[in-house]
Amino acid sequence: MIAGNVAEHLGNIENIVSLTPGQYTTGSLILMVSYGAHFAFILYFLTMSFSLAPRYRIVAILSAVVMASAGLSLLREATLWQDSYAFLDGMYRPLAEGETFTNAFRYGNWTITVPLLLTQLPIAFALSRPDLHRRAIRMAIPALLMIWTGLYGQFGEIGNWTQLNVWGVISTVFFVWLIVEVRGTITAGIANSPPQLVAWPKNIWWYFLATWGLYPIAYALPQLGFTGDVVVTRQLLYSIADISSKLIYGVILSRYVLRRSALEGYAPAAEALETSPLGAKVASVRGD
Ligand code: RET
């Protein structure tokens, strides 16, 4: 039994729960799939950028940067997972290797990726430069405050519910502020989208809410109990949230700017879309 004051310094529940071989392997698998997917999609986004009109190319390139950054961070989590447990008496035991696991690195990584993900929106919506800069900064400020207050709060998850919940609520206030700023950017995006594509920013709004909303659930989860199932479920939630809020989100934005590129007369984009109704239409308008 670990004394309470020592336990508090162990940060995350991963360090106080023993895992069955099944739980341990599932955790390894989840982390491996996460970093593998992120690294692989660097190639997708870099090659995709060639089909985009120059003004939108940076949208796909930023996704590639996010993939590299998240991939490295998740690879670190996976290695740490492996280093933190040792197989003793039929269970995978934490701390057995003198190493502690932490989810805090994720928050460090979000500090880089979240402002980039948000900045992709006004670029994809082709907002004017001054508006784009203003919106990017106005979204980044509550986003960073949300992440850093959450980072502090999550150190309370081993039993210090006051720290977890008070900072969780403060972080949620910044999240609500962020949601208001994102809504403003999306509204500008709806106004500035070609008529054929207005459904895209509208859907991106709901997609944003559904996928970013998974993170606070993962944050609160340890309150359900210190069990192996909670440990594994939380890694799964993080993984689903990561793949959807970064990777699939990047694919959606890239497909949107590919269509915009075609509608604005950029030939490689129209050719890439030739088999879709939109591409065929653009090609016929251009008289190809
Ligand atoms: C925290 C703390 C608890 C309250 C809230 C949170 C929100 C976190 C979010 C994170 C999004 C991360 C993304 C990462 C991509 O790389 C900090 C967990 C509201 C929304 C999109």
Side-chain angles (χ1 to χ4, degrees):
M1 193 65 206
I2 301 160
N5 58 343
V6 177
E8 274 191 29
H9 295 291
L10 293 175
N12 292 134
I13 61 169
E14 279 81 355
N15 298 313
I16 55 167
V17 176
S18 292
L19 303 178
T20 66
Q23 288 165 337
Y24 172 79
T25 308
T26 309
S28 295
L29 177 125
I30 290 166
L31 289 165
M32 182 269 284
V33 169
S34 303
Y35 75 73
H38 285 85
F39 281 138
F41 269 73
I42 295 173
L43 294 173
Y44 171 87
F45 288 116
L46 288 183
T47 48
M48 167 77 177
S49 71
F50 294 115
S51 308
L52 301 174
R55 71 182 307 182
Y56 298 122
R57 227 162 260 174
I58 192 73
V59 172
I61 292 170
L62 284 176
S63 273
V65 172
V66 167
M67 292 302 106
S69 171
L72 284 168
S73 163
L74 292 164
L75 175 59
R76 183 79 188 95
E77 293 288 354
T79 316
L80 201 52
W81 178 271
Q82 237 150 21
D83 292 347
S84 304
Y85 293 96
F87 189 64
L88 286 173
D89 304 325
M91 294 286 276
Y92 280 85
R93 316 260 174 206
L95 303 176
E97 303 278 327
E99 179 78 272
T100 53
F101 185 83
T102 180
N103 286 300
F105 294 160
R106 292 179 179 276
Y107 291 69
N109 183 245
W110 301 343
T111 300
I112 310 297
T113 54
V114 164
L116 297 180
L117 292 168
L118 294 167
T119 307
Q120 283 178 296
L121 283 176
I123 303 176
F125 297 148
L127 303 186
S128 71
R129 287 282 139 174
D131 197 22
L132 185 165
H133 291 148
R134 193 178 58 92
R135 289 191 185 277
I137 291 169
R138 287 184 57 155
M139 291 188 288
I141 292 169
L144 291 175
L145 292 172
M146 169 191 84
I147 293 164
W148 295 336
T149 48
L151 169 62
Y152 182 73
Q154 60 89 41
F155 286 115
E157 74 177 33
I158 301 193
N160 190 344
W161 302 142
T162 315
Q163 183 178 344
L164 187 74
N165 288 321
V166 168
W167 289 94
V169 169
I170 295 170
S171 174
T172 303
V173 172
F174 292 124
F175 188 34
V176 172
W177 172 8
L178 170 63
I179 288 173
V180 172
E181 295 295 338
V182 169
R183 182 63 233 185
T185 302
I186 300 246
T187 304
I190 293 170
N192 207 38
S193 279
Q196 300 93 319
L197 299 182
V198 281
W200 286 70
K202 288 182 184 164
N203 292 336
I204 288 168
W205 165 246
W206 296 112
Y207 188 77
F208 163 81
L209 290 181
T211 55
W212 289 48
L214 295 175
Y215 289 96
I217 299 173
Y219 176 94
L221 219 58
Q223 292 174 95
L224 292 184
F226 301 158
T227 69
D229 284 342
V230 170
V231 165
V232 175
T233 305
R234 180 167 59 169
Q235 293 301 328
L236 180 66
L237 256 183
Y238 272 141
S239 178
I240 293 171
D242 284 339
I243 292 174
S244 45
S245 71
K246 293 184 266 254
L247 195 159
I248 300 174
Y249 169 84
V251 173
I252 294 171
L253 283 187
S254 300
R255 304 301 298 174
Y256 168 75
V257 290
L258 182 66
R259 280 161 178 74
R260 276 193 89 125
S261 301
L263 286 167
E264 290 168 15
Y266 187 67
E271 285 163 18
L273 287 166
E274 214 137 17
T275 51
S276 75
L278 177 71
K281 206 163 138 199
V282 171
S284 75
V285 168
R286 290 172 51 238
D288 302 350

